[in-house]
Amino acid sequence: MATIHDVAHLAGVSKSLVSRYLNDQKGVSPESTLKIIAAIKELNYRPNGIARSLVLQKTHTIGIVVDDLCATFIFRLIEGLERGAEDFDVDEKYNIIFCNSNGDVQRKQRHLNFLMNGRVDGIVLYGSLVYDDTMIQQLVHSNFPLMLIENDIEGTDVNKVVIDNIGGAFMATEHLINLGHRRIAHIGGNMNLKITLDRMNGYVRALQRYNVPVDQSLIIFPDFSDVDEWKKRDEFMSQNLYFDRGYVEMKKLIEKNQVPEAIFFATDLSAFGAIKAMNEVGLRVPEDVSVIGFDDEFRAAGSFNCKPVTTMMQPLKQAGYVGIQKLVYSLGHPHAAKERILLNTELVVRESTCANKRLASAEQDTRV
Amino acid sequence: MATIHDVAHLAGVSKSLVSRYLNDQKGVSPESTLKIIAAIKELNYRPNGIARSLVLQKTHTIGIVVDDLCATFIFRLIEGLERGAEDFDVDEKYNIIFCNSNGDVQRKQRHLNFLMNGRVDGIVLYGSLVYDDTMIQQLVHSNFPLMLIENDIEGTDVNKVVIDNIGGAFMATEHLINLGHRRIAHIGGNMNLKITLDRMNGYVRALQRYNVPVDQSLIIFPDFSDVDEWKKRDEFMSQNLYFDRGYVEMKKLIEKNQVPEAIFFATDLSAFGAIKAMNEVGLRVPEDVSVIGFDDEFRAAGSFNCKPVTTMMQPLKQAGYVGIQKLVYSLGHPHAAKERILLNTELVVRESTCANKRLASAEQDTRV
DNA sequence: TTGAAAGCGTTACCAT
DNA sequence: ATGGTAACGCTTTCAA
């Protein structure tokens, strides 16, 4: 590859002058300009970006590290991030690069090191795995410009945008209660995710708020200890695992004859699996049991050939949008206060919830 | 940020020695090692990767540029690329970074420049947009290590893995013919994609091969001239556009009373839209018209609440897998011959195709 | 075992 | 308007 030195030499001028031309600075005569242009063309010269970054101490790049770039809902985040960067400032166009950690802490650390080693000006980290908490704590302490999305680590001064999972789970459960259900189960998610506890929390709070007794036997956390084995499979996709867990736990409930009136799932994916299990034994959703999920996984629904499910929509696009904007802003304002931005979820009523049979027949009784 | 100089200073040794320690080279006394370790810890030192890359002329990174990172099928490519890089060599772990060009040539060019400016050792380019052909030609001539996926530009010496779209379209059409259909329409894709022509080609060849007359009025190419307007929308997703075009063209066929016996769609997405249009007027798929698509867009099917569709599966995962491996290999063997790897598609029979009614009743006649 | 110095490809300051 | 030179943070060669 030709360097600026080669160009200068061929054009018969100094490196400084070529550099000035390259950066649209004044003080380059028309004659020099012509010679430089010719030399650049002749040598097919392209400036070396990392040399540039090295001296400028600036890369104009944001790195995004995602736990699962193949997740069915991740497109929302991507869109939000890109729009956010695009809209932020016309002449401050940041490059965005994505890294996929695949839920592997080692790999995540590798990506993080890679990016922080002068590769990018700031990092957006998406995911709430519990077991890389110490890693992220370290990251925060390193003072590298950072934006955490959906990872509400405590006690530290860091920018983050978090989604109100507790509130969302509350609303979901409330929706079921309002429909007249009382025996409401909760089938939780992977305990390796912080949000899993939040969602259970919201569920419990809603029950308490409406004086529905909390029945421990109706709070179910599937076993995710074999994740690593699943991952080794050639056709592994995370959504299949959640689907399977929903299916398995539902089967157990059916066998134990403990099918509840309604179920709040920590994720739509498990709801899809459970619905399959119910269909297999002739249980109808929502007539026999109402089902509400979380995440609005409408893309995944197709993979599992599942009916449209009532769910809590996460504003992941908005999260990406505001997250990257705040990050870019803080790059220009290093002393800006760190912020914790809280976003709300939204109830999307579809075809998997309906009024409780008791309630319905009671109404009919009244009419008669 | 602390530099190697700071570490050397604090440890009371030279930069050279620290560098040697950092790179696990022999010739560092135990005492020095101890001092260096202490200094690194104290200063929270991390080596600067781009300075390192600058002198080493190597980044150990591969850049992936994708036209639409949010496409419903892109996860296959991602998985293939990552597995390929992972499996290639144990101690040659390449970092992989993704850039999303969003089908925007400007942005693609920006990403390409960014990556080629010393950021990565090689680039994988996915997509077959026709209007960035000259850009890619330039890229090829720049001699930068490159792997083209699904972009069969001609007459140039470049590594590429292409999928046999002509053959796939042939098989799809053949499938319909074998089911007894004769009046077979083709609803094509976006003419901005090279593969669109290939797929029409395969369709025509299959008809000719089986002596089915080619009826020009049954070859339909939807108008995609308003793409840019669609893109500006806040909730734009490419799959919606293709869905819409399938819907619209099908409506036209229905209104003109020209519904064929079977249709081969250049993409499942349009098939989904068309099926909706048919459902609306009571036409049944596959009983009344058989439908075959392309791409195996099972994830998108859910978004559109569409039944499982017979389709041609593209081996995109395999494409990523072999593509990145060949690229990494050629990084280590600069004079290895460039290759064109051809991958085949696979027929996936699902619920949208069945034997032609004529054929079925003819059989019945025979029995009677 | 250790260190000095040159060099990777830029930019920027200071002269001229 | 132009050029020399130091600097960015690292590796590597050569010499001690």
Side-chain angles (χ1 to χ4, degrees):
Chain A
M1 270 306 268
T3 72
I4 198 173
H5 174 266
D6 303 328
V7 174
H9 188 78
L10 182 61
V13 298
S14 71
K15 293 195 294 179
S16 325
L17 206 56
V18 178
S19 174
R20 249 168 248 146
Y21 164 77
L22 253 21
N23 295 293
D24 292 318
Q25 288 166 19
K26 57 187 160 86
V28 185
S29 69
E31 305 90 71
S32 301
T33 303
L34 249 41
K35 286 189 287 184
I36 292 172
I37 291 178
I40 288 179
K41 189 151 201 174
E42 165 118 19
L43 296 169
N44 191 20
Y45 166 76
R46 339 173 120 272
N48 184 311
I50 62 173
R52 206 159 179 277
S53 292
L54 187 58
V55 39
L56 257 28
Q57 303 281 61
K58 186 106 178 86
T59 65
H60 258 272
T61 308
I62 303 281
I64 319 286
V65 178
V66 173
D67 277 334
D68 183 5
L69 195 56
C70 295
T72 36
F73 59 82
I74 212 70
F75 71 98
R76 298 197 225 252
L77 180 72
I78 297 175
E79 281 177 355
L81 290 166
E82 302 217 313
R83 296 248 181 173
E86 202 78 18
D87 293 354
F88 184 76
D89 201 342
V90 185
D91 38 50
E92 287 268 330
K93 287 264 189 257
Y94 273 80
N95 292 300
I96 297 191
I97 62 182
F98 294 90
C99 292
N100 184 14
S101 72
N102 241 325
D104 178 335
V105 204
Q106 313 266 328
R107 225 163 120 174
K108 196 162 177 175
Q109 185 67 264
R110 218 178 76 206
H111 282 140
L112 251 17
N113 288 337
F114 168 71
L115 294 174
M116 289 173 66
N117 285 345
R119 240 91 206 185
V120 297
D121 296 336
I123 293 181
V124 174
L125 208 57
Y126 172 76
S128 77
L129 288 169
V130 294
Y131 47 76
D132 46 36
D133 229 43
T134 55
M135 186 175 87
I136 294 176
Q137 293 282 2
Q138 277 186 329
L139 194 59
V140 170
H141 284 118
S142 79
N143 249 330
F144 191 90
L146 197 63
M147 173 56 77
L148 262 29
I149 295 189
E150 191 71 321
N151 191 151
D152 202 1
I153 54 166
E154 293 196 37
T156 26
D157 195 32
V158 58
N159 280 315
K160 53 191 172 190
V161 12
V162 294
I163 287 166
D164 185 10
N165 284 290
I166 300 185
F170 185 96
M171 284 168 67
T173 314
E174 191 177 39
H175 173 66
L176 297 175
I177 295 173
N178 286 340
L179 287 169
H181 303 293
R182 286 300 172 272
R183 245 181 80 79
I184 300 171
H186 173 52
I187 296 190
N190 190 335
M191 276 297 193
N192 287 335
L193 263 36
K194 290 186 200 163
I195 53 171
T196 299
L197 273 186
D198 288 346
R199 292 181 184 176
M200 180 195 68
N201 245 306
Y203 158 81
V204 171
R205 287 192 199 179
L207 294 184
Q208 291 173 338
R209 166 75 181 71
Y210 286 91
N211 296 316
V212 179
V214 176
D215 182 345
Q216 287 290 348
S217 73
L218 290 181
I219 303 182
I220 296 157
F221 283 96
D223 178 25
F224 282 93
S225 56
D226 55 345
V227 187
D228 290 334
E229 264 171 60
W230 276 68
K231 279 198 186 169
K232 281 188 202 120
R233 300 192 191 177
D234 193 42
E235 8 56 71
F236 173 74
M237 290 191 286
S238 56
Q239 59 264 39
N240 293 343
L241 178 58
Y242 287 98
F243 179 88
D244 176 81
R245 291 308 121 102
Y247 180 83
V248 167
E249 294 302 334
M250 194 66 224
K251 269 227 127 76
K252 284 192 208 161
L253 283 176
I254 293 169
E255 278 160 21
K256 288 193 290 184
N257 221 338
Q258 292 186 352
V259 177
E261 297 171 357
I263 314 179
F264 162 49
F265 288 87
T267 161
D268 282 359
L269 301 166
S270 297
F272 300 154
I275 289 174
K276 185 186 173 211
M278 291 192 257
N279 285 342
E280 286 180 0
V281 297
L283 277 168
R284 293 160 309 162
V285 173
E287 295 84 351
D288 299 321
V289 13
S290 273
V291 164
I292 188 168
F294 213 110
D295 298 338
D296 192 14
E297 285 271 16
F298 66 91
R299 277 198 181 178
S303 324
F304 300 117
N305 209 12
C306 186
K307 65 152 54 180
V309 154
T310 299
T311 192
M312 301 304 304
M313 207 274 275
Q314 302 191 71
L316 211 51
K317 184 170 179 179
Q318 201 195 340
Y321 192 88
V322 301
I324 202 161
Q325 292 208 340
K326 169 74 185 174
L327 178 61
V328 172
Y329 175 84
S330 70
L331 254 29
H333 307 253
H335 297 297
K338 306 274 195 290
E339 238 178 309
R340 175 182 185 270
I341 302 169
L342 185 69
L343 262 30
N344 290 317
T345 58
E346 198 180 306
L347 174 66
V348 183
V349 178
R350 287 204 271 254
E351 303 171 23
S352 66
T353 47
C354 71
N356 186 283
K357 281 185 268 187
R358 268 193 285 101
L359 204 70
S361 53
E363 267 176 29
Q364 232 168 25
D365 291 354
T366 328
R367 262 181 248 136
V368 176
Chain B
M1 268 309 265
T3 73
I4 197 172
H5 175 265
D6 303 327
V7 174
H9 188 78
L10 182 62
V13 298
S14 71
K15 293 194 296 180
S16 327
L17 206 57
V18 178
S19 173
R20 250 166 246 146
Y21 164 77
L22 254 21
N23 294 294
D24 293 319
Q25 287 169 20
K26 57 186 159 83
V28 185
S29 69
E31 305 92 71
S32 300
T33 304
L34 250 40
K35 286 189 288 184
I36 292 172
I37 291 178
I40 288 179
K41 190 152 203 173
E42 165 118 17
L43 296 169
N44 191 21
Y45 167 75
R46 337 172 121 275
N48 183 311
I50 62 171
R52 202 159 182 276
S53 291
L54 186 59
V55 37
L56 257 29
Q57 302 283 58
K58 187 109 177 77
T59 63
H60 258 273
T61 308
I62 302 280
I64 319 287
V65 179
V66 173
D67 276 336
D68 182 4
L69 195 56
C70 294
T72 36
F73 60 80
I74 211 71
F75 71 99
R76 297 196 225 252
L77 180 72
I78 297 176
E79 279 176 356
L81 291 165
E82 302 217 312
R83 297 249 180 174
E86 202 78 18
D87 292 355
F88 184 77
D89 201 342
V90 186
D91 38 51
E92 286 268 331
K93 287 265 189 258
Y94 273 81
N95 293 301
I96 298 190
I97 61 182
F98 293 89
C99 292
N100 186 13
S101 72
N102 241 325
D104 176 336
V105 204
Q106 313 267 326
R107 224 163 120 174
K108 197 163 179 174
Q109 186 65 267
R110 218 178 76 207
H111 282 140
L112 252 17
N113 288 338
F114 168 73
L115 294 173
M116 290 172 66
N117 285 345
R119 240 90 205 187
V120 299
D121 296 337
I123 293 182
V124 174
L125 210 54
Y126 171 74
S128 77
L129 287 170
V130 294
Y131 47 75
D132 46 38
D133 230 42
T134 54
M135 184 175 87
I136 294 176
Q137 293 281 4
Q138 275 186 331
L139 194 61
V140 169
H141 284 119
S142 80
N143 248 331
F144 191 90
L146 198 61
M147 173 56 76
L148 262 27
I149 296 189
E150 191 72 323
N151 191 149
D152 203 2
I153 55 166
E154 293 194 39
T156 26
D157 195 31
V158 58
N159 281 314
K160 53 190 170 190
V161 12
V162 294
I163 288 167
D164 185 10
N165 284 290
I166 299 185
F170 185 97
M171 284 168 66
T173 313
E174 190 176 40
H175 173 66
L176 297 175
I177 295 172
N178 286 342
L179 286 170
H181 303 293
R182 286 299 172 273
R183 243 182 80 80
I184 301 172
H186 173 53
I187 296 191
N190 190 335
M191 276 297 193
N192 287 335
L193 262 38
K194 290 187 202 165
I195 54 172
T196 299
L197 272 186
D198 288 347
R199 291 180 186 177
M200 179 195 68
N201 243 306
Y203 158 83
V204 172
R205 288 191 198 179
L207 294 184
Q208 291 172 337
R209 166 76 182 69
Y210 287 92
N211 296 317
V212 179
V214 176
D215 180 346
Q216 286 291 349
S217 73
L218 290 180
I219 303 181
I220 296 156
F221 283 98
D223 177 24
F224 282 93
S225 56
D226 55 345
V227 188
D228 290 333
E229 263 170 62
W230 276 67
K231 279 199 186 166
K232 282 188 202 121
R233 300 190 191 179
D234 193 43
E235 7 57 72
F236 173 73
M237 290 192 287
S238 54
Q239 60 265 38
N240 293 343
L241 179 57
Y242 286 98
F243 180 89
D244 176 80
R245 292 308 122 102
Y247 179 84
V248 167
E249 294 302 335
M250 194 66 223
K251 270 229 125 82
K252 284 192 209 161
L253 283 176
I254 293 168
E255 277 160 21
K256 288 192 289 184
N257 222 339
Q258 292 186 351
V259 177
E261 297 172 354
I263 314 177
F264 162 51
F265 288 86
T267 162
D268 283 358
L269 300 167
S270 297
F272 300 153
I275 289 174
K276 186 185 172 213
M278 290 192 257
N279 286 342
E280 285 179 359
V281 298
L283 276 168
R284 292 161 309 163
V285 174
E287 294 84 352
D288 298 322
V289 13
S290 275
V291 164
I292 188 167
F294 214 109
D295 297 337
D296 192 13
E297 285 271 17
F298 67 90
R299 276 198 180 178
S303 324
F304 300 116
N305 209 13
C306 186
K307 65 153 52 181
V309 155
T310 299
T311 191
M312 300 304 303
M313 208 277 274
Q314 302 190 69
L316 211 50
K317 183 171 178 176
Q318 200 195 341
Y321 192 89
V322 302
I324 201 161
Q325 292 207 339
K326 169 75 185 171
L327 178 60
V328 172
Y329 176 84
S330 70
L331 253 28
H333 307 252
H335 297 297
K338 305 276 193 287
E339 237 178 309
R340 176 182 184 270
I341 302 169
L342 185 69
L343 263 28
N344 291 317
T345 59
E346 198 180 306
L347 174 65
V348 182
V349 179
R350 287 204 272 254
E351 304 171 22
S352 65
T353 47
C354 71
N356 186 282
K357 281 183 270 186
R358 266 192 288 99
L359 205 72
S361 53
E363 268 174 26
Q364 235 170 21
D365 292 354
T366 327
R367 261 180 247 136
V368 175

